[in-house]
PDB file of all heavy atoms in Angstrom:
ATOM      1  N   TRP U  34       4.497  10.085  -9.473  1.00  0.00           N
ATOM      2  CA  TRP U  34       3.851  10.361 -10.759  1.00  0.00           C
ATOM      3  C   TRP U  34       3.229  11.749 -10.782  1.00  0.00           C
ATOM      4  O   TRP U  34       3.302  12.464 -11.784  1.00  0.00           O
ATOM      5  CB  TRP U  34       2.808   9.294 -11.037  1.00  0.00           C
ATOM      6  CG  TRP U  34       2.017   9.535 -12.288  1.00  0.00           C
ATOM      7  CD1 TRP U  34       0.699   9.793 -12.398  1.00  0.00           C
ATOM      8  CD2 TRP U  34       2.532   9.552 -13.621  1.00  0.00           C
ATOM      9  NE1 TRP U  34       0.335   9.977 -13.704  1.00  0.00           N
ATOM     10  CE2 TRP U  34       1.445   9.830 -14.491  1.00  0.00           C
ATOM     11  CE3 TRP U  34       3.790   9.353 -14.174  1.00  0.00           C
ATOM     12  CZ2 TRP U  34       1.599   9.915 -15.863  1.00  0.00           C
ATOM     13  CZ3 TRP U  34       3.934   9.439 -15.544  1.00  0.00           C
ATOM     14  CH2 TRP U  34       2.854   9.718 -16.371  1.00  0.00           C
ATOM     15  N   MET U  74       8.749  48.299 -41.530  1.00  0.00           N
ATOM     16  CA  MET U  74       7.287  48.221 -41.590  1.00  0.00           C
ATOM     17  C   MET U  74       6.668  49.617 -41.492  1.00  0.00           C
ATOM     18  O   MET U  74       5.699  49.921 -42.195  1.00  0.00           O
ATOM     19  CB  MET U  74       6.759  47.329 -40.471  1.00  0.00           C
ATOM     20  CG  MET U  74       7.046  45.849 -40.671  1.00  0.00           C
ATOM     21  SD  MET U  74       6.407  44.835 -39.303  1.00  0.00           S
ATOM     22  CE  MET U  74       4.630  45.007 -39.555  1.00  0.00           C
ATOM     23  N   GLY U 197      -4.425  28.066 -76.206  1.00  0.00           N
ATOM     24  CA  GLY U 197      -4.684  28.365 -77.611  1.00  0.00           C
ATOM     25  C   GLY U 197      -4.002  29.615 -78.112  1.00  0.00           C
ATOM     26  O   GLY U 197      -4.059  29.925 -79.312  1.00  0.00           O
ATOM     27  N   GLY U 287      -0.283  29.403 -56.361  1.00  0.00           N
ATOM     28  CA  GLY U 287      -1.519  29.092 -55.660  1.00  0.00           C
ATOM     29  C   GLY U 287      -1.367  28.277 -54.401  1.00  0.00           C
ATOM     30  O   GLY U 287      -2.321  27.639 -53.958  1.00  0.00           O
ATOM     31  N   GLN U 311      24.051  17.892 -56.436  1.00  0.00           N
ATOM     32  CA  GLN U 311      24.362  18.240 -57.826  1.00  0.00           C
ATOM     33  C   GLN U 311      23.118  18.690 -58.578  1.00  0.00           C
ATOM     34  O   GLN U 311      23.195  19.549 -59.479  1.00  0.00           O
ATOM     35  CB  GLN U 311      25.047  17.077 -58.557  1.00  0.00           C
ATOM     36  CG  GLN U 311      24.276  15.774 -58.579  1.00  0.00           C
ATOM     37  CD  GLN U 311      24.621  14.856 -57.419  1.00  0.00           C
ATOM     38  OE1 GLN U 311      24.892  15.310 -56.309  1.00  0.00           O
ATOM     39  NE2 GLN U 311      24.636  13.545 -57.696  1.00  0.00           N
ATOM     40  N   THR U 322      19.969  31.946 -73.043  1.00  0.00           N
ATOM     41  CA  THR U 322      19.135  31.971 -74.239  1.00  0.00           C
ATOM     42  C   THR U 322      19.885  31.254 -75.368  1.00  0.00           C
ATOM     43  O   THR U 322      21.067  30.907 -75.231  1.00  0.00           O
ATOM     44  CB  THR U 322      18.810  33.407 -74.651  1.00  0.00           C
ATOM     45  OG1 THR U 322      20.046  34.117 -74.859  1.00  0.00           O
ATOM     46  CG2 THR U 322      18.013  34.116 -73.563  1.00  0.00           C
ATOM     47  N   SER U 355       2.882  40.082 -50.181  1.00  0.00           N
ATOM     48  CA  SER U 355       4.213  40.178 -50.784  1.00  0.00           C
ATOM     49  C   SER U 355       5.086  39.220 -49.988  1.00  0.00           C
ATOM     50  O   SER U 355       5.085  39.253 -48.746  1.00  0.00           O
ATOM     51  CB  SER U 355       4.776  41.595 -50.689  1.00  0.00           C
ATOM     52  OG  SER U 355       3.976  42.509 -51.401  1.00  0.00           O
ATOM     53  N   ASP U 364      26.690  30.375 -47.250  1.00  0.00           N
ATOM     54  CA  ASP U 364      26.740  30.711 -45.821  1.00  0.00           C
ATOM     55  C   ASP U 364      25.778  29.864 -45.000  1.00  0.00           C
ATOM     56  O   ASP U 364      25.632  30.074 -43.797  1.00  0.00           O
ATOM     57  CB  ASP U 364      26.402  32.192 -45.608  1.00  0.00           C
ATOM     58  CG  ASP U 364      27.430  33.116 -46.232  1.00  0.00           C
ATOM     59  OD1 ASP U 364      28.593  32.680 -46.377  1.00  0.00           O
ATOM     60  OD2 ASP U 364      27.074  34.253 -46.591  1.00  0.00           O
TER      61      ASP U 364
END
Side-chain angles (χ1 to χ4, degrees):
W34 176 245
M74 288 180 69
Q311 57 268 35
T322 57
S355 297
D364 295 334

